[in-house]
Amino acid sequence: MVSTIVLTRLLAPEIYGVFAVVLVYLYFLEMISDLGLRSLVLTREGEVTDVFLKTCWTISILRGGVILLFSMVLSLVFLIAQNANLFAQDSPYSASVLPPAIVCIGFAALIQGFETPMRFMSEREMAFGRLTAVDLARNVVTLAVTIALAFYLRSVWALVIGQIFRSVIHVILNNVVFPGPKLAFCLDRESIRVLISRGKWVLGQSTLTVLSQSFDRIFLGFVMTSTTFGFYYTARQLVDLVPQFLQALNNAVILQVFRKLHESTPEDFRRNYYRYRLVLDGAAGLVAGGLIIAAPLFVDIIFDDRYAGVAPIMQILSLSILIFGLNILQNAFNAQHRFDVVTKLSIISVLSLVGGLAFATFVLDSVTAALFVVALHRLPEAIVVTYMGHRRGWVVLWREGIIIAVFALGALLGWGVVQLAELVFWQPVG
């Protein structure tokens, strides 16, 4: 959030629009090539041998090379499409900087592939202090370099070079702070067999995840102008901070809620589940309600006038926060190793997003409707998982309505903050 606030003071919204396209394709390529190396190291039973770690490191580098190769192919496709005038003139896809920027981001992925797997070993040993220190140092140094680049370049290259520098400093810090056996290229047959047998399932789930989380940014980049897409990217970054924080909390304590599910009666499970949900729904409802009213004030305080268009998009996207608590019940099916159920729920989410965006764009011809689709596309998934939980005796339907009351309270508090701001210092635009 700090980097967004600072950099938007130096860079125009259309620059963020082009950079958002670059990042989303990098994320897409990374996810569809994800073999779950980190997960394999963390969950591997017994001793993790040097040969296994060297094989993981080699596969990671090769994966980075594959991402770079596909980045080059993708760049060539966009260059041909630009020369054929297939994109609107004000589209982020028509920016001449896009093809070379995508190639450069591919190099960032290749560099990232040289990260030592000893970092994962530190996670396995729960050395969280060093991990946090490394990530903090990387982020602070990267932000300082990117700000300096933005000040002098005032173009998308500041963000692209900053991303490359981030990969370089990430690899250097991790290789220095997490020493281990001397790494060398190694392709051990047994290690590769383990990687493939486990990685194919990770790869399938990652593909569904990237479609659910990134298809909106791929699709909307084609139908929005660079400036509007810059607004959308910024708004999405800010709104996503809330579910990201709640997900971090969720990851920290969720196992305690679901780990003894098979030993609990439905009544015991419901009691623990709704005690936990009260915290999540309270935070989600208050923030969502507050943002839907006070987003213009929030945006006006932290951004300059060029980014006023972020506020209405934030107001719509804030509805997505309400659905967060409904979908954590998926963890119960994970605890029961019902991965087929989790996969089906992911498919529902993807189909809702893809189908909804197509309908909003090609039938309704409405960007606003598309934004509502993005905000609410996980609602069908939430309805299905709630129904399944209700059939198992885990869910009490009337208690699911509490989030609406909390949302209304959040909206009331947001209205109060806006009224107070207008009395003291704020003059709303229009």
Side-chain angles (χ1 to χ4, degrees):
M1 181 174 177
V2 173
S3 62
T4 300
I5 294 173
V6 175
L7 290 172
T8 51
R9 297 283 178 176
L10 298 171
L11 302 174
E14 57 268 23
I15 292 176
Y16 264 97
V18 175
F19 185 62
V21 172
V22 174
L23 278 189
V24 75
Y25 281 102
L26 172 64
Y27 177 66
F28 181 81
L29 292 173
E30 286 180 337
M31 289 296 289
I32 64 172
S33 62
D34 182 21
L35 293 174
L37 298 179
R38 172 179 172 272
S39 175
L40 285 170
V41 174
L42 293 179
T43 60
R44 186 168 175 79
E45 296 180 359
E47 181 184 2
V48 180
T49 65
D50 291 354
V51 170
F52 183 77
L53 290 174
K54 290 177 181 178
T55 301
C56 287
W57 185 68
T58 303
I59 295 296
S60 177
I61 295 171
L62 293 175
R63 171 176 173 258
V66 170
I67 292 175
L68 174 59
L69 177 62
F70 276 96
S71 296
M72 292 177 174
V73 173
L74 195 61
S75 174
L76 180 61
V77 170
F78 285 140
L79 183 61
I80 293 172
Q82 287 178 347
N83 291 334
N85 295 319
L86 297 182
F87 303 126
Q89 188 173 0
D90 55 359
S91 168
Y93 285 94
S94 66
S96 60
V97 73
L98 182 63
I102 289 177
V103 174
C104 289
I105 286 293
F107 275 106
L110 176 61
I111 295 169
Q112 188 92 6
F114 285 85
E115 175 190 23
T116 174
M118 291 307 298
R119 175 187 172 93
F120 308 146
M121 291 297 293
S122 292
E123 288 189 62
R124 181 183 170 102
E125 297 163 3
M126 295 186 290
F128 298 122
R130 284 192 298 168
L131 290 163
T132 302
V134 166
D135 290 345
L136 180 61
R138 177 201 64 202
N139 291 339
V140 169
V141 174
T142 300
L143 177 59
V145 170
T146 306
I147 290 173
L149 289 168
F151 183 80
Y152 286 104
L153 298 178
R154 305 283 175 152
S155 73
V156 72
W157 285 112
L159 300 174
V160 172
I161 297 172
Q163 193 73 18
I164 296 173
F165 179 83
R166 182 183 185 276
S167 295
V168 172
I169 198 69
H170 178 85
V171 170
I172 292 174
L173 286 174
N174 279 281
N175 281 276
V176 170
V177 177
F178 305 113
K182 184 178 180 181
L183 294 172
F185 284 92
C186 176
L187 291 173
D188 176 64
R189 181 175 298 178
E190 177 59 24
S191 299
I192 292 175
R193 186 192 64 79
V194 173
L195 290 171
I196 293 176
S197 63
R198 289 281 301 276
K200 62 185 179 182
W201 299 108
V202 175
L203 185 62
Q205 187 61 42
S206 295
T207 302
L208 289 174
T209 299
V210 73
L211 287 173
S212 177
Q213 295 182 355
S214 297
F215 182 79
D216 60 310
R217 279 170 278 196
I218 294 175
F219 183 87
L220 292 177
F222 287 103
V223 300
M224 289 179 171
T225 66
S226 295
T227 299
T228 304
F229 194 57
F231 293 155
Y232 176 78
Y233 173 72
T234 305
R236 177 80 188 271
Q237 273 193 312
L238 295 173
V239 171
D240 281 353
L241 287 174
V242 180
Q244 285 169 4
F245 171 78
L246 294 177
Q247 187 61 51
L249 174 65
N250 185 47
N251 292 339
V253 302
I254 196 65
L255 288 179
Q256 299 177 21
V257 177
F258 293 114
R259 65 181 175 180
K260 295 185 178 180
L261 176 61
H262 62 284
E263 302 173 2
S264 305
T265 64
E267 292 78 14
D268 289 338
F269 175 77
R270 283 200 304 268
R271 182 170 56 254
N272 292 328
Y273 172 64
Y274 279 108
R275 186 183 298 132
Y276 176 59
R277 274 284 302 278
L278 185 63
V279 176
L280 291 182
D281 287 349
L286 289 174
V287 173
L291 277 179
I292 206 167
I293 300 297
L297 170 63
F298 176 74
V299 169
D300 198 38
I301 290 174
I302 66 174
F303 297 125
D304 59 35
D305 293 342
R306 295 174 301 169
Y307 285 84
V310 171
I313 298 177
M314 281 189 68
Q315 288 174 303
I316 296 174
L317 295 184
S318 65
L319 294 172
S320 65
I321 302 172
L322 290 174
I323 306 172
F324 179 85
L326 295 173
N327 282 306
I328 66 166
L329 194 61
Q330 290 189 27
N331 292 279
F333 294 102
N334 273 325
Q336 292 184 326
H337 302 290
R338 292 295 308 277
F339 303 121
D340 58 323
V341 173
V342 177
T343 299
K344 290 174 183 176
L345 291 171
S346 297
I347 292 173
I348 291 173
S349 176
V350 170
L351 292 177
S352 298
L353 179 62
V354 174
L357 285 176
F359 182 80
T361 303
F362 300 122
V363 178
L364 300 181
D365 192 24
S366 171
V367 171
T368 300
L371 294 175
F372 276 103
V373 168
V374 174
L376 300 174
H377 76 275
R378 296 197 67 187
L379 184 58
E381 175 190 1
I383 293 172
V384 171
V385 76
T386 300
Y387 172 73
M388 295 173 70
H390 178 63
R391 291 190 59 184
R392 287 165 173 77
W394 300 340
V395 170
V396 180
L397 293 179
W398 70 265
R399 297 190 69 167
E400 298 299 324
I402 293 177
I403 185 68
I404 303 301
V406 180
F407 173 75
L409 177 60
L412 181 61
L413 292 174
W415 178 84
V417 170
V418 169
Q419 296 305 309
L420 180 61
E422 289 184 8
L423 286 174
V424 176
F425 67 91
W426 186 54
Q427 182 62 45
V429 179

